Amino acid sequence: MMGQKTLLLLLSLLAVLEMASALGFYYGRSMPGSPYNISRTDPRIQKVVLDATFTFNNQSNDAYLFKPYAIYRAQRQVVKGVRYIVDFEISRTVCRKRDSNHNDLPNCDFQPEGRLHQTFRCHLEVWVIPWRKESITQVFFCQS
Ligand SMILES: *[C@@H]1O[C@H](CO)[C@@H](O)[C@H](O)[C@H]1NC(C)=O
Ligand SMILES: *[C@@H]1O[C@H](CO)[C@@H](O)[C@H](O)[C@H]1NC(C)=O
């Protein structure tokens, strides 16, 4: 009898936990091991996406700057620091690299539909180790 009650209690506790995590109450909490979704508007996600976009612009031969267009997946994983796993899209702006720099990006409009309109889908995995003030890009690629 006692055992049954304990089991029931455990089951309802599990149900509550499951519901809580389904509702996203666990956002930002440490769950070592597997990656879990966080808000796509999380400032830390915005920052890693922007940094990666700077890297993209820095390495591309394009005459124009690209900027983030949308974020499709934002995940966080706690492993000796924090890993961020992000899928996002960048799109070409009207700002020429020649006349602009990254500080101008917020004011750079996207290219209108037409010859110069182009987007890339990017995948990014960054490992941030706060106590070493270090941020290591483990995977970053973009494809059209
Ligand atoms: C890329 O980054 C390097 C080092 O930070 C800098 O010297 C260079 O001017 C940048 N190139 C472009 C095209 O932004
Ligand atoms: C996490 O986000 C992705 C992309 O938005 C979605 O497809 C997936 O169902 C989400 N997973 C959970 C457990 O919410």
Side-chain angles (χ1 to χ4, degrees):
M1 198 58 195
M2 194 60 192
Q4 238 171 33
K5 254 187 192 156
T6 313
L7 187 65
L8 268 178
L9 196 71
L10 193 67
L11 281 177
S12 52
L13 187 68
L14 281 177
V16 168
L17 283 177
E18 219 167 69
M19 211 162 75
S21 85
L23 290 172
F25 289 166
Y26 276 175
Y27 280 179
R29 228 180 107 162
S30 290
M31 281 170 48
S34 53
Y36 57 98
N37 286 351
I38 61 170
S39 166
R40 284 173 281 184
T41 57
D42 186 305
R44 293 162 301 187
I45 290 291
Q46 304 280 327
K47 184 179 186 311
V48 295
V49 164
L50 203 57
D51 286 347
T53 306
F54 293 170
T55 302
F56 175 91
N57 283 330
N58 193 295
Q59 289 173 358
S60 83
N61 295 321
D62 207 280
Y64 298 86
L65 292 173
F66 278 66
K67 81 171 178 179
Y69 175 72
I71 294 173
Y72 298 105
R73 171 162 77 143
Q75 290 184 319
R76 189 175 193 271
Q77 180 181 22
V78 178
V79 270
K80 298 179 184 165
V82 183
R83 282 180 76 229
Y84 294 102
I85 302 151
V86 197
D87 287 335
F88 60 103
E89 200 166 278
I90 55 176
S91 190
R92 187 182 281 119
T93 70
V94 297
C95 290
R96 287 180 175 276
K97 279 184 185 170
R98 209 177 50 202
D99 327 308
S100 359
N101 63 50
H102 284 136
N103 298 327
D104 302 321
L105 265 194
N107 301 316
C108 295
D109 291 329
F110 291 113
Q111 289 281 352
E113 286 299 329
R115 198 173 55 89
L116 286 174
H117 178 86
Q118 188 177 20
T119 63
F120 289 101
R121 279 294 280 256
C122 303
H123 179 76
L124 174 68
E125 296 177 25
V126 183
W127 183 27
V128 180
I129 312 161
W131 58 90
R132 279 206 254 154
K133 292 189 164 52
E134 216 177 332
S135 168
I136 299 164
T137 299
Q138 297 178 306
V139 184
F140 179 44
F141 60 85
C142 297
Q143 55 200 11
S144 53

